[in-house]
Amino acid sequence: MMKRYFSIVSAVIFCLSSFCFAASSFADATAPAFSIVSGDKQVLTLGRLKGKVVVLFYEAKAAIEENRKLKNALNMFYERQPQDIKNDIARVGVIDCRGVLFKGAWEAGLRDHSVKEGVTVYGDWDGKMAEDYVFKKDGSNVIVVDKKGMIRYRASGPLKDEDIGSIEKLLESLVKED
């Protein structure tokens, strides 16, 4: 009985450590390719964003407000930039749309949300992006990808005020890189 208990505990610890390693291994790793579709049926791929610094929020519908303070700060940061810097930054919102019923209603919701956010919001309809990026389900995920397609920042859940400043400094340095 005790031996079985330790086997189960060992298996759980191994799985948790493997998950943590897999999630953290994305720092300075090449961003996986993705294909997402907006409410207007526009397809966006990582390849189309090559040469831009990408700020991407991947969220469950219920978590859209979780990092509102960060979104507002990054929108103000973006608006302060000269046009040539704005051209080098891609702001991407993605909603987890796996298994939704009434796809037409969700597409309309993505269009409405795009207007509210001031950026096109896309749907991950098949969940492949969530799986490939190991995004936290039912939460807010933020990544920053540099111009060469490398993940330079990754976080899940509500971010702290000091994270906002760190992300802005990172973006300032990344837009200067060639």
Side-chain angles (χ1 to χ4, degrees):
M1 177 80 165
M2 194 67 133
K3 191 175 197 178
R4 181 176 175 192
Y5 171 78
F6 283 117
S7 295
I8 292 170
V9 170
S10 296
V12 169
I13 291 171
F14 174 77
C15 288
L16 287 174
S17 64
S18 296
F19 175 76
C20 291
F21 177 76
S24 66
S25 67
F26 278 106
D28 293 324
T30 301
F34 62 78
S35 180
I36 50 181
V37 182
S38 72
D40 291 332
K41 298 182 179 24
Q42 297 174 36
V43 177
L44 180 67
T45 64
L46 181 61
R48 288 188 51 210
L49 299 173
K50 190 167 179 125
K52 293 184 179 283
V53 174
V54 180
V55 180
L56 188 142
F57 281 85
Y58 185 101
E59 299 171 312
K61 183 179 178 188
I64 290 171
E65 296 302 319
E66 191 170 274
N67 280 309
R68 174 58 56 200
K69 190 172 184 179
L70 172 62
K71 291 177 187 178
N72 291 342
L74 291 178
N75 282 339
M76 290 185 330
F77 169 84
Y78 180 80
E79 291 305 320
R80 289 192 308 263
Q81 304 307 310
Q83 191 59 47
D84 61 325
I85 299 292
K86 286 180 182 180
N87 294 340
D88 284 344
I89 299 173
R91 301 176 300 155
V92 180
V94 184
I95 301 295
D96 184 352
C97 296
R98 290 179 277 191
V100 302
L101 301 175
F102 311 110
K103 186 175 179 181
W106 273 73
E107 289 171 334
L110 289 177
R111 290 190 301 270
D112 293 344
H113 197 64
S114 295
V115 171
K116 178 184 172 192
E117 295 294 333
V119 299
T120 302
V121 178
Y122 296 84
D124 179 16
W125 297 97
D126 60 5
K128 182 152 177 31
M129 183 180 201
E131 291 171 15
D132 291 348
Y133 280 81
V134 193
F135 284 137
K136 178 182 168 191
K137 189 175 182 178
D138 299 326
S140 177
N141 302 271
V142 182
I143 64 169
V144 175
V145 179
D146 69 16
K147 293 177 182 182
K148 296 175 186 169
M150 302 296 289
I151 296 174
R152 300 294 294 274
Y153 180 87
R154 175 186 178 88
S156 295
L159 298 179
K160 298 176 180 148
D161 288 347
E162 57 266 17
D163 295 324
I164 295 171
S166 297
I167 294 170
E168 287 180 351
K169 287 179 183 167
L170 174 63
L171 291 173
E172 287 172 350
S173 69
L174 292 177
V175 294
K176 293 176 185 174
E177 290 181 358
D178 284 324

